[in-house]
Every structure is written in structure tokens, then in C-alpha cells.
Amino acid sequence: DCCEAGGDSFPAGCDAGSINFPPHYYQRRDDLRQSVMEAIQEMMSELEDLHKNINEQATQHIHAGEIILTYALSKTVGLFLKAAAAKKRKFQVIVCEGAPHFGGHAMAKELAEAGIDTTVIHDAATFAIMARVNKVLLPAHAVLANGGLIAPSGSNMVALAAKQNSVPVVTVAGMFKLCPMYPHEGQDTLNDLISPSAVVDYGLIGDPVLSEVEFVNPVHDYIKPELIDLYVTNIGGFQPSYIYRLLAEYYHGDDWEAFE
């Protein structure tokens, strides 16, 4: 006898025809093609209407005279703010520059061109300015199963400053960013470390002091669910504690229970 299925590759001397697959592998599914095509079409329709459905909720969350703080560059957050401005809401936006990538500069330029009163600040000034802010809008890279958020590096600092000053934190994201993964690895969950060249010049590495320093340049931050007040999605607004219920609607149990 040869081998059982389950490895990443076939052992020497084995081929696909000699492996014993689970019984459902051999069941005939005449409706499989149609089911897959319907699922793909549903996803395409959702993505096409994504920003439209999110932007319709803009005036429910952004009110006249408010000061909104956001972080770095985000297409979804940018369109959300511009949708509120298009409905004659007058408000001010403060954009953290998002060092070392400085996406906040491009974000501020985009908002200013749309006629929104926009100010760019250093990331280090976030805590000092937070007492004047009415609401924080954060972008999302992924929304985890426990209601936590994966966002651009530096966002956790913003969320902590908002929590200290009792400022509500709202995340704007499409439901396609819902992820069945749990943050078992803390800040390392779904994270990548990139070259520190954006933070320190390689020519300085020869310095006796800097040569002993370990430079870490993460792409994303993990933000705990207790630091997020609301998720605004294309199907409505939800508290982080409700995210696990949405998992059951968007993922089959076999797909996401393995991530627990």
C-alpha cells in the first residue's frame, strides 16, 4: 500500500491515483460549477457596490463642526470623508503623516483638493492633539475573528491615545476584509517586517552605537478589540463583539474553525 493524503507533496513512488482521499472527494457534484460561478458573481457584485454602500452611512457618523483624526493613506476612509463633505457637512480633518511611509501627506492633499479643511501633523503630536478630536477614523488591512484590527503601523498608538482621552474610534472597512484568524501571535499576527532603510540610513550602521541597535520596521499594527468602538462596513455598523457572528455568515464552519 502507498500513502494517505494530507502532506504537502506526494512521497517518492506515489502518484495521485494511489492516494486514499476522503469520501467526499469522490462524490459527483453536478451543481458544483454553477455554485462556484454564483459565489464569484456575488463577490464581484459586493466589491462593485462596496464604497457606495459604505459612503451612504457617512452622514450618520460625521457631523457638522466635528474634528476628525485619521491616520496615513486609505482609499476607503478618504472616500468616506469626501462623501460626507459632498452632502454639505462642514468638518475639519487632522491627518497623521504615517511615518516612515508618509501616506498621510498624500491623504491630506487628496482631502484638501476635495474642499475639506485638512491639517497634517507629526505622528508624535497625536497624543497632544487628541483632546481636541471628536472622532478617530482608522483604515483596515484586516478585521480578525475576535474583533481586533490589523491596520497600518502606528495605528495602535493612535487608538491608545484615543482610549486615554475617551475619543471614539471608528474603523471603515469592507466585509471582504473579515478574516477568520485569531491573534494568537499578538503584534506579529498577519504582520510583515520590511527593510529599516526608511527609518535609518545604511551609512550610519557603521557607528559603534547604532551597530548594537536592532531596527524593526513592521508594516502593520494589531489593535485590540477593546480599543475599537465601531466597524462601519458595506452592510452596516457593528461593534467588535459582533464580528464572530458575521464569521458564521461569511465563512463555512469548516473554513474558520481551524483558525481558533
Side-chain angles (χ1 to χ4, degrees), residues 150 185 187-193 217-222:
I150 303 295
E185 298 176 333
Q187 283 292 345
D188 293 331
T189 304
L190 291 180
N191 213 340
D192 292 310
L193 298 179
N217 189 13
V219 178
H220 303 111
D221 270 352
Y222 165 66

Side-chain angles (χ1 to χ4, degrees), residues 154-198:
S155 300
N156 191 47
M157 169 198 67
V158 176
L160 288 169
K163 184 73 171 181
Q164 182 67 25
N165 288 274
S166 300
V167 175
V169 176
V170 177
T171 296
V172 184
M175 284 307 300
F176 73 94
K177 292 190 176 182
L178 180 60
C179 174
M181 182 176 292
Y182 284 81
H184 296 306
E185 298 176 333
Q187 283 292 345
D188 293 331
T189 304
L190 291 180
N191 213 340
D192 292 310
L193 298 179
I194 60 176
S195 169
S197 60

Side-chain angles (χ1 to χ4, degrees), residues 74-96:
S74 168
K75 177 182 178 181
T76 305
V77 173
L79 291 174
F80 190 74
L81 291 168
K82 286 189 281 188
K87 296 178 181 177
K88 307 304 180 183
R89 288 289 166 89
K90 296 294 183 181
F91 55 93
Q92 181 182 352
V93 177
I94 298 174
V95 183
C96 299

Side-chain angles (χ1 to χ4, degrees), residues 123-147:
D123 297 337
T126 302
F127 193 89
I129 203 73
M130 191 60 73
R132 298 181 54 198
V133 172
N134 300 108
K135 189 179 282 97
V136 172
L137 287 183
L138 289 181
H141 174 66
V143 179
L144 301 185
N146 69 328

Side-chain angles (χ1 to χ4, degrees), residues 10-235:
F10 299 133
C14 280
D15 56 53
S18 60
I19 295 181
N20 297 319
F21 288 100
H24 63 266
Y25 272 66
Y26 303 99
Q27 294 176 359
R28 182 176 177 83
R29 293 289 303 274
D30 295 325
D31 61 337
L32 180 60
R33 177 189 172 93
Q34 183 64 28
S35 298
V36 171
M37 293 299 292
E38 289 176 359
I40 293 174
Q41 186 59 48
E42 182 180 348
M43 176 63 72
M44 290 175 61
S45 299
E46 181 178 328
L47 292 176
E48 288 173 359
D49 298 333
L50 177 72
H51 292 113
K52 173 179 174 290
N53 294 336
I54 292 176
N55 294 343
E56 287 175 350
Q57 306 169 62
T59 53
Q60 300 175 26
H61 302 284
I62 299 177
H63 308 290
E66 282 191 331
I67 298 177
I68 310 293
L69 185 141
T70 187
Y71 186 84
L73 177 64
S74 168
K75 177 182 178 181
T76 305
V77 173
L79 291 174
F80 190 74
L81 291 168
K82 286 189 281 188
K87 296 178 181 177
K88 307 304 180 183
R89 288 289 166 89
K90 296 294 183 181
F91 55 93
Q92 181 182 352
V93 177
I94 298 174
V95 183
C96 299
E97 62 182 2
H101 309 293
F102 300 106
H105 294 179
M107 180 74 158
K109 182 176 183 292
E110 181 181 317
L111 296 177
E113 290 174 347
I116 299 173
D117 183 2
T118 308
T119 304
V120 181
I121 63 170
H122 293 296
D123 297 337
T126 302
F127 193 89
I129 203 73
M130 191 60 73
R132 298 181 54 198
V133 172
N134 300 108
K135 189 179 282 97
V136 172
L137 287 183
L138 289 181
H141 174 66
V143 179
L144 301 185
N146 69 328
L149 175 68
I150 303 295
S153 180
S155 300
N156 191 47
M157 169 198 67
V158 176
L160 288 169
K163 184 73 171 181
Q164 182 67 25
N165 288 274
S166 300
V167 175
V169 176
V170 177
T171 296
V172 184
M175 284 307 300
F176 73 94
K177 292 190 176 182
L178 180 60
C179 174
M181 182 176 292
Y182 284 81
H184 296 306
E185 298 176 333
Q187 283 292 345
D188 293 331
T189 304
L190 291 180
N191 213 340
D192 292 310
L193 298 179
I194 60 176
S195 169
S197 60
V199 182
V200 60
D201 190 272
Y202 279 125
L204 300 175
I205 299 299
D207 183 278
V209 176
L210 290 181
S211 63
E212 301 297 323
V213 177
E214 180 181 0
F215 293 96
V216 180
N217 189 13
V219 178
H220 303 111
D221 270 352
Y222 165 66
I223 302 175
K224 295 180 179 179
E226 52 264 31
L227 299 179
I228 307 293
D229 292 281
L230 186 70
Y231 285 104
V232 177
T233 74
N234 50 301
I235 61 171

